[in-house]
């Protein structure tokens, strides 16, 4: 039983690593340019603080996911991993939400504020950003699952003893 | 010792409740209007999906914080509270990040995308939104502290037994 749970956790961590790496690369390399009325418009992730935050957080998550995978499993270590998993899930949620909020304005605009959508001008950038957000969402969901599983492991001994 | 910890948790939960309620009301009532070149511009939280999300999540957090305060403390219940605290912290982080991303564009604009800042036109709305975000940040930080404390409580018996 413990072995099956260990394998499931391992598989989830590998998928989370892959998703975080893909999200970082896809968002980091998203690029497109357009000319609107002699106004040269270049779209890349560094144009928006939210997208920069997304790339930084997902790069950190990639490194962390890799380190956790290669580290030898120890009894004391999983308590630290529980705390780190919590922090990582919060960071991923935060970065994803901020990037999603900006991407939504980029796609739909905001007529009240007079912000026009930009996806018509730079469709390649928009598609790649959307892809990064979808993969990033998968990474965040897997981290949430890992966290809930770790929480369950942490509190389940108490279900028996109390 | 347990009594002091209980009092600290209680105080933190009361502050979290107050902060969540204030953030909801301040964001929900933020309102200003301006006329720019015969273009009537009205700013309120319903203009942005991110601000709507903020108000909904902080209203839920207010209700949850109140329910947790008035519920009688039971041995089995704190495990459910640990899970709910985790979900609530994630929701608050998500809502705060999304609203912060939009508020940043509202304040600074984004020259690359051609989105102009709106705070010059509707300063009252901007000030109130900033206030809501600051108080919302306090609520999120307190929930993070409560979560870390709950995690510590959950895993500390294992420190003794293993």
């Amino acid at each position: 039983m413990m072995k099956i749970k260990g394998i499931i956790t391992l598989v989830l961590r590998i998928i989370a690593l892959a998703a975080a790496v893909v999200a970082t690369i896809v968002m980091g390399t998203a690029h497109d340019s357009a000319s609107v009325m002699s106004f040269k418009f270049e779209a890349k992730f560094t144009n928006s603080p939210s997208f920069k935050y997304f790339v930084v957080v997902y790069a950190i998550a990639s490194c962390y996911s890799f380190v956790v995978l290669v580290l030898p499993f120890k009894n004391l270590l999983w308590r630290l991993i529980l705390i780190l998993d919590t922090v990582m899930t919060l960071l991923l949620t935060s970065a994803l939400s901020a990037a999603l909020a900006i991407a939504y304005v980029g796609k739909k605009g905001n007529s009240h504020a007079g912000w026009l959508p930009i996806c018509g001008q730079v469709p390649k950038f928009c598609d790649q950003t959307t892809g990064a957000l979808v993969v990033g969402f998968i990474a965040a969901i897997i981290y949430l699952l890992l966290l809930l599983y770790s929480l369950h492991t942490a509190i389940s001994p108490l279900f028996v003893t109390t």
Side-chain angles (χ1 to χ4, degrees), chain A residues 1-76:
Chain A
M1 191 61 190
M2 272 309 285
K3 210 176 170 187
I4 295 171
K5 281 186 181 175
I7 291 169
I8 292 173
T9 311
L10 185 72
V11 170
L12 282 179
R13 286 207 180 268
I14 291 171
I15 300 172
L17 169 62
V21 170
V22 170
T24 310
I25 293 172
V26 172
M27 182 65 94
T29 59
H31 187 269
D32 201 357
S33 58
S35 291
V36 184
M37 296 182 287
S38 79
F39 173 69
K40 175 87 171 131
F41 178 81
E42 197 173 18
K44 50 182 191 257
F45 83 95
T46 49
N47 288 358
S48 158
S50 297
F51 288 167
K52 278 196 262 185
Y53 178 49
F54 182 93
V55 170
V56 170
V57 166
Y58 274 78
I60 293 171
S62 305
C63 297
Y64 170 74
S65 304
F66 179 74
V67 169
V68 169
L69 269 178
V70 296
L71 268 182
F73 190 87
K74 275 176 190 165
N75 222 358
L76 238 164

Side-chain angles (χ1 to χ4, degrees), chain A residues 87-109:
Chain A
V87 173
M88 204 45 72
T89 311
L90 284 168
L91 278 175
L92 290 177
T93 308
S94 166
L96 186 72
S97 305
L100 212 59
I102 296 302
Y104 187 85
V105 177
K107 201 165 185 72
K108 304 269 179 181

